[in-house]
Amino acid sequence: QFGGFIFFEKDFKDKSKSEVKKMINDLQNVSKIPILTAVDEEGGTVVRVSSNPNLASNKFLSPRDLYLSGGFDKIKEDTVNKSLLLSELGLNLNLAPVVDVSTNSSDYMYNRTLGENTELTSTYAKTVINASKGLGVSYTLKHFPGYGNNKDTHNGVVNDNRSYDEIVKNDLPPFEAGINEGAEAVLISHNTVTNIDSSNPASLSVDIHNLLRNKLGFTGIIITDDLAMGAISSINNATVKAILAGNDLIITTDYEESFNDVKDAINNYTIDEGLIDKLAFRVLAWKYYKGLI
């Protein structure tokens, strides 16, 4: 069965709080194992829930606007308020914060980031993860290993040609800070980081996953960005490659194709069934840790 569902703006549009709760409860009630209920509620331009005035009196502000108006205290307060609303509605996983470092307003990712340097972005990551604890909603550091100044992977293949040393120095510290603070999940980008693995987008790269596991010591849940995005959509067997690369959870739109590809890969011994068991166990252990089971 599905590990969970991701809800988008259209799923909340015009609904009341009670209608949203019913929508999510109905899914939980027909699921043998409690599901992850995820949303991208970053604040600013990406507000799936608070875009609906029935659910929130105001849209959540972007990290940058929060920081400029009240520093990290404001970000802490916002994280608590966001978590309380999501939890009330039955959502237990937020695909945020964006801890990519961007200081150039012309970058594609700038408006979704803190808009400050590596050190302040690291403090931002720590602040959000710390403030979110104990409120029933897990947060997800994204987009590993750092989006940089790259173009939009929704639209097509994107090559990140920055040096390995530059990425380690400028982009990894916010992820490391969030992980050290107890982040439970990390989402991987679809950028092809040419100086780490020029053959695969990060989400399908063993080398990128090894960097996260081995260099940063991350033991939590690794999640792909949506495999329907333009940077990935032309790659055959992307779900199988994502599993072999080291992801625990796959975000996919065409779930039937993903299921069939995984089944075929097990039958032809491309994937060992023991690996699927191991990944499923890790997700089940996370659900237990979260109090869902």
Side-chain angles (χ1 to χ4, degrees):
Q1 69 160 68
F2 297 113
F5 287 90
I6 295 179
F7 299 91
F8 291 93
E9 192 171 326
K10 62 183 170 54
D11 298 307
F12 302 106
K13 190 172 171 58
D14 299 328
K15 286 187 172 80
S16 66
K17 280 190 176 182
S18 60
E19 287 172 325
V20 171
K21 289 178 190 177
K22 183 178 186 308
M23 170 180 74
I24 294 170
N25 281 335
D26 286 350
L27 289 171
Q28 290 287 17
N29 289 338
V30 297
S31 182
K32 285 181 286 191
I33 299 167
I35 54 171
L36 298 163
T37 50
V39 69
D40 297 276
E41 192 67 23
E42 298 173 8
T45 56
V46 181
V47 281
R48 312 300 197 203
V49 174
S50 62
S51 58
N52 177 353
N54 297 328
L55 305 178
S57 51
N58 295 295
K59 292 180 181 179
F60 287 108
L61 295 176
S62 71
R64 178 130 191 92
D65 286 344
L66 289 167
Y67 180 70
L68 293 177
S69 67
F72 292 114
D73 286 343
K74 192 80 172 175
I75 285 166
K76 185 175 182 178
E77 179 189 336
D78 175 79
T79 303
V80 171
N81 291 338
K82 196 179 286 181
S83 301
L84 292 173
L85 175 61
L86 298 185
S87 181
E88 180 193 353
L89 295 172
L91 296 158
N92 57 41
L93 175 59
N94 193 7
L95 300 176
V98 172
V99 296
D100 303 308
V101 178
S102 172
T103 56
N104 185 338
S105 60
S106 64
D107 290 349
Y108 162 69
M109 195 55 74
Y110 177 81
N111 290 331
R112 294 167 63 187
T113 71
L114 188 69
E116 297 290 341
N117 64 21
T118 298
E119 187 179 354
L120 288 171
T121 304
S122 298
T123 304
Y124 169 62
K126 281 170 63 175
T127 301
V128 172
I129 296 302
N130 184 270
S132 71
K133 288 181 178 175
L135 299 175
V137 180
S138 300
Y139 279 65
T140 309
L141 306 172
K142 67 184 189 185
H143 308 78
F144 191 81
Y147 208 92
N149 60 352
N150 294 288
K151 293 184 167 54
D152 184 359
T153 50
H154 289 88
N155 299 330
V157 174
V158 174
N159 288 319
D160 182 345
N161 296 316
R162 294 174 301 156
S163 72
Y164 173 79
D165 289 343
E166 185 181 347
I167 290 166
V168 168
K169 183 182 171 188
N170 296 326
D171 294 68
L172 295 192
F175 290 96
E176 193 164 18
I179 288 165
N180 290 342
E181 201 63 34
E184 297 167 25
V186 172
L187 185 142
I188 311 281
S189 84
H190 291 323
N191 291 327
T192 299
V193 186
T194 56
N195 283 304
I196 298 176
D197 182 350
S198 59
S199 304
N200 300 289
S203 54
L204 309 185
S205 167
V206 173
D207 293 337
I208 294 287
H209 288 74
N210 285 344
L211 184 70
L212 177 56
R213 290 284 188 217
N214 301 335
K215 187 172 180 63
L216 271 60
F218 182 61
T219 58
I221 300 295
I222 302 179
I223 308 173
T224 67
D225 212 339
D226 187 353
L227 297 188
M229 287 163 63
I232 293 286
S233 56
S234 63
I235 296 177
N236 290 329
N237 272 327
T239 302
V240 172
K241 288 173 181 167
I243 290 168
L244 291 172
N247 295 285
D248 301 301
L249 284 172
I250 310 297
I251 297 180
T252 179
T253 303
D254 190 345
Y255 60 88
E256 289 180 332
E257 183 183 20
S258 288
F259 275 149
N260 289 330
D261 286 349
V262 172
K263 217 181 263 187
D264 290 345
I266 289 170
N267 290 336
N268 65 28
Y269 303 107
T270 305
I271 292 178
D272 186 276
E273 195 168 346
L275 174 60
I276 300 296
D277 291 342
K278 177 185 168 186
L279 301 180
F281 183 79
R282 186 181 276 149
V283 175
L284 288 167
W286 187 31
K287 290 180 177 183
Y288 177 77
Y289 172 81
K290 284 172 58 59
L292 297 177
I293 299 174

